[in-house]
Amino acid sequence: MKNLRKKTSYFSARRVATLAVLTAMGLIMFMVESLFPPLFLPGAKMGLSNIFSLLTLFVLGPTEAIILVVIRTTLGSIFTGNISTIMYSLTAGLVSVVVSVILVEFIYPKVSIVAISVVAAVMHNLTQNIVFCLVSNTPEMFSYMPWLALLGVVAGIIVGFAVWFILRAVPTRIFVGVADQLETE
């Protein structure tokens, strides 16, 4: 699948509205997922809100994907009442989206959307754990790294296939139409 977006450096009303909708969908997913107990390890979540981050990267671009992560994580931590999420999730989210941007810009389509998602998810989990170890001064938590990497692989596969499926199932003309309309304004 080719990259559907064109290079642009400005924000039109349509582009901002599209970003707002994707951010709202990611925020809703973030909040719904926060209602469920952790998976296997303390604090471990599937990260389904990252579907919208990766989708934004492919449809709108890297700047918009970074903006989405910052807004979603900040509002999500405020709305769920867990302000410490900003410290851990925002740092990890920014690292993972930057890694995704680098992979999409320089290696995609030689690697799949699922592979990009897996690398981003593993980086997210490892970054969160590193931040936790540094903030809490508990180096023993580094022993969780292999398990967090494994959970990242599973989460990355799920998120990657979801994005791949969305880009395949939704008619291409819709994404191309959005990207083209965004470019003409």
Side-chain angles (χ1 to χ4, degrees):
M1 166 163 296
K2 64 181 179 168
N3 203 341
L4 298 175
R5 63 184 169 76
K6 295 177 184 174
K7 304 282 186 206
T8 186
S9 62
Y10 66 93
F11 289 95
S12 66
R14 186 167 298 182
R15 185 176 211 78
V16 172
T18 304
L19 178 59
V21 168
L22 290 168
T23 303
M25 291 168 42
L27 179 59
I28 290 166
M29 187 67 75
F30 181 90
M31 293 176 61
V32 167
E33 195 171 21
S34 74
L35 299 174
F36 295 101
L39 303 169
F40 311 111
L41 296 172
K45 301 284 183 181
M46 193 56 61
L48 297 176
S49 61
N50 293 316
I51 291 169
F52 301 100
S53 304
L54 192 57
L55 185 61
T56 299
L57 175 59
F58 277 95
V59 174
L60 296 177
T63 303
E64 292 82 355
I66 291 169
I67 290 170
L68 184 143
V69 167
V70 170
I71 293 172
R72 182 197 70 217
T73 305
T74 304
L75 289 178
S77 66
I78 291 169
F79 292 166
T80 60
N82 189 359
I83 300 302
S84 67
T85 302
I86 291 176
M87 183 174 18
Y88 303 112
S89 291
L90 184 57
T91 306
L94 288 173
V95 167
S96 67
V97 79
V98 167
V99 166
S100 297
V101 167
I102 291 168
L103 292 173
V104 167
E105 293 296 323
F106 296 107
I107 301 175
Y108 182 78
K110 292 178 183 173
V111 296
S112 69
I113 293 170
V114 175
I116 292 168
S117 179
V118 166
V119 170
V122 169
M123 291 301 298
H124 186 279
N125 286 356
L126 298 182
T127 302
Q128 254 186 342
N129 194 46
I130 289 168
V131 170
F132 179 79
C133 290
L134 294 174
V135 169
S136 66
N137 197 22
T138 53
E140 300 82 22
M141 292 299 290
F142 282 114
S143 65
Y144 279 138
M145 293 286 217
W147 300 109
L148 291 171
L150 181 62
L151 284 175
V153 168
V154 173
I157 290 170
I158 292 168
V159 167
F161 271 116
V163 172
W164 177 84
F165 182 75
I166 290 168
L167 291 172
R168 295 272 189 231
V170 175
T172 305
R173 64 181 166 75
I174 290 175
F175 288 125
V176 172
V178 167
D180 288 343
Q181 287 173 355
L182 293 172
E183 299 305 320
T184 59
E185 293 182 352

